[in-house]
Amino acid sequence: MAPRHDLRAPLRRDSDDDEGGCCSCLARLRALAICVLILGLAAAAGVLALLWRLALARPMPTVDGGDLAVRRALNGLYFATNPSGSDWGRCDSKSVGGSAWGNLNHYCEWKCVECAKDRSVIGLRLQKNGLTGTVPRIISSIKTLRHLDLAANPGLVGTLPEEIGQIPALETLLLNYTRLSGSLPASMASLSRLRDVSAAHARLTGVLPTGFFFFFFFFFFFFFLFF
């Protein structure tokens, strides 16, 4: 006698088994993909950690001595008078020996920088150099500066900063053929060592205080003479 089928029980089809198998495969594939992703992230983190250790182990470039305040003042002068990064000429070319400004070498090795035997800055020979912009106040940080030559830079504009009187060693100040304008800073009265000032064909006005021990020939615009 053939077995009877219980009509109350749901019928099972072969397709149900197939669908269950497919769902199981998809779940396994998802789990595998997640594992691969986790392993990839772990490997990337390990590589980054290794690179970080190598970077820390590499010796960092160091600045070759010098007064940090002087270095900042020189860099400040460079950027204030070279806003485009390509305005400087003679002192930023191969025609003048030395290192480029901003180099990690000692600043006494930079082009157009004059230093004493003790490696203190005593002169900045920046004439005919294509300077543009203004003279920055931070230049007063170079306390040992004796000679500042900014002549023949028609792109140099603005006024002389009041802080110019805070350079006690200053002896020579050359501003010929610039477009500096305004009054001479009153602080220059404190520069007891100042002996030579020239501003021919500049646009500066005013007179030097009587405390100076030298004769000063001063041209207003092009032809007027002050002393």
Side-chain angles (χ1 to χ4, degrees), residues 30 70 126 191:
R30 290 194 189 97
V70 172
L126 302 176
L191 300 178

Side-chain angles (χ1 to χ4, degrees), residues 3-226:
R4 296 181 178 180
H5 179 73
D6 189 354
L7 297 177
R8 294 173 297 179
L11 295 176
R12 295 187 59 188
R13 296 176 296 177
D14 292 340
S15 60
D16 293 340
D17 294 337
D18 294 339
E19 290 176 359
C22 289
C23 291
S24 178
C25 289
L26 290 174
R28 290 178 182 176
L29 288 174
R30 290 194 189 97
L32 180 60
I34 292 174
C35 290
V36 170
L37 178 61
I38 293 174
L39 290 175
L41 292 174
V47 171
L48 289 176
L50 179 60
L51 292 175
W52 178 257
R53 285 181 174 272
L54 291 175
L56 291 178
R58 179 185 298 178
M60 298 296 291
T62 56
V63 175
D64 183 15
D67 188 319
L68 183 58
V70 172
R71 181 177 288 271
R72 287 176 177 170
L74 292 172
N75 284 327
L77 176 62
Y78 178 81
F79 288 112
T81 58
N82 188 23
S84 71
S86 59
D87 294 316
W88 275 33
R90 189 177 56 85
C91 297
D92 209 16
S93 66
K94 295 181 180 179
S95 62
V96 176
S99 302
W101 279 54
N103 193 284
L104 293 178
N105 294 342
H106 196 285
Y107 44 72
C108 285
E109 300 177 15
W110 296 0
K111 301 174 187 287
C112 303
V113 176
E114 180 184 357
C115 287
K117 292 182 179 180
D118 62 357
R119 310 203 83 182
S120 60
V121 175
I122 60 173
L124 296 177
R125 310 295 184 175
L126 302 176
Q127 70 277 10
K128 298 181 180 179
N129 192 40
L131 305 185
T132 61
T134 59
V135 180
R137 294 181 297 175
I138 198 172
I139 196 173
S140 63
S141 297
I142 313 176
K143 303 298 183 184
T144 56
L145 185 62
R146 301 178 193 170
H147 311 288
L148 179 59
D149 191 348
L150 304 176
N153 288 292
L156 199 59
V157 297
T159 60
L160 272 180
E162 190 71 25
E163 288 78 6
I164 200 77
Q166 299 175 13
I167 309 177
L170 195 61
E171 300 175 4
T172 304
L173 180 61
L174 304 181
L175 308 172
N176 310 23
Y177 293 94
T178 65
R179 286 195 294 159
L180 290 169
S181 59
S183 300
L184 294 171
S187 61
M188 292 178 66
S190 63
L191 300 178
S192 60
R193 297 185 180 182
L194 195 57
R195 293 292 182 272
D196 185 9
V197 178
S198 180
H201 298 277
R203 299 178 179 179
L204 294 165
T205 60
V207 294
L208 291 171
T210 56
F212 287 111
F213 299 100
F214 64 92
F215 292 99
F216 172 72
F217 295 95
F218 179 81
F219 289 83
F220 173 66
F221 290 104
F222 295 97
F223 304 104
F224 295 94
L225 178 65
F226 292 86

